Amino acid sequence: MGDQLKKTLGLPIALSIVVGMVIGSGVFFKPQAVYELTGGAPGLGIIAWILGGLITIAAGLTAAEISTAIPKTGGMMVYLEEIYGEKLGFLAGWAQTVLYFPGASAALGVVFSQQVIEFIGKDPNNMLYTLPIAVGVIVFIAMLNNIGSEFGGKIQTISTICKLVPLFIIIIFGFSKGQSSEIFTPMVGEGKTVSGVLGNVLLAILFAYDGWINVGSIAGEMKNPGKDLPKAIIGGLSIVMSVYIIINIAYLWVLPASELAQAVSPGALVATKIFGPIGGKIVSIGIMISVFGTLNGFILTGPRVPYALAVKGFLPGSKYLSKVNKGGSPYFATWLIAIIACIYATSGQFNLLTDLSIFAVWIFYVFTFIGVIKLRKDRPDMERPYKVPLYPIIPIIAIASGLFVIINQLITATVLAAGCIFLTLLGLPIYTSMKKKL
């Protein structure tokens, strides 16, 4: 058929796609949350960046089996519907629509605005300055993406290249010009325990690693997914993990963890320390472009979820949310994500918003990991171009890691977790009501 994806991707391109999808804004901003949680101590932070990478590799390897076994457009929502039924698939799409994509977009809008305000020498914690910019950049990117999907894709390509520049500048000059501070000790600050903060630290770091769920989406375009997909996942995510660990050591080579814990933008602070005010501002521009590009990625891809739900008639206003404009963009679905994101952005809390989005989506990631085992049992003869290596060890690691993060958040941030679960379950009466109308 003419509309099928062509198998043109080899290992080198697949590797670059993996790296490009995962590296975003978290590497520049999340060290603040990490070292604040550790009480200004570096040790657990560095270990958690390693653990987060290993968890992500296990997760990517596991989810990729489903991606190749269920070669349908729609991602996780479609996988869960195929494995567990329509209702859970809808809930995954609903949670992505009202929590994950708007929450992540709002967080990026907030941190972009803080970076802009800090760049011009104002107080980045003053909501009177930051809120208009946060809302403005979300609305602006929504407008750009409604010009057309191709235009949004071009923005993404340019920003992907730009975001690598400040990373390598900080790494190279951080080690050459910095003076080593403590990197691996102490593990945590006074009054903190490893067990008490590890879960929250991992939740913060998993935002920086987020994007791995899209890794399996390239399987249908690979020449040899069974052989090259695991190499692309392990290789690509290992590169990301290495970059994250190296740049965090570079940060600590220049400034102690206690100072990074106080910075709105650790990356910009380190750049200013290395190059002085002017050089720091130049690197800050690169960081802003990186955040802009990451936000564009969420606004570009996020609306496809409510659009897919609306095509089935599962959402209120499906008549409008299923419309596509002349440029090929889901116009109303894009504005839905953008409006919810603007509402969330009024909180002005980057770390709170990232925790909200990651907690919500990891609930369904765990269902996806379990789904690999369920499919092996229920449909053993199903065609699987790729099988997760070291089965069932890798899926069990992914499941256990996900459950640890979820349970820890339920215990340590009960209100946030309960709010996420409530908003997710709110989808059930909506699903039931809309099904009756079909």
Side-chain angles (χ1 to χ4, degrees), residues 1 19 71 105 112 131 134 203 249 305 307 339 365 379 384:
M1 291 178 65
V19 173
S105 299
F112 178 85
L131 183 57
L203 190 72
I249 293 175
V305 175
Y307 167 78
I339 289 168
Y365 286 170
R379 299 166 68 178
R384 293 174 173 84

Side-chain angles (χ1 to χ4, degrees), residues 378-430:
D378 296 346
R379 299 166 68 178
D381 298 328
M382 186 179 195
E383 184 180 353
R384 293 174 173 84
Y386 156 81
K387 290 185 178 182
V388 59
L390 300 177
Y391 180 89
I393 297 172
I394 298 295
I396 288 172
I397 290 172
I399 293 166
S401 301
L403 288 175
F404 172 75
V405 170
I406 292 167
I407 293 169
N408 180 272
Q409 193 73 354
L410 283 167
I411 294 170
T412 61
T414 307
V415 174
L416 175 70
C420 284
I421 292 170
F422 172 77
L423 286 173
T424 300
L425 294 178
L426 191 63
L428 287 175
I430 291 174

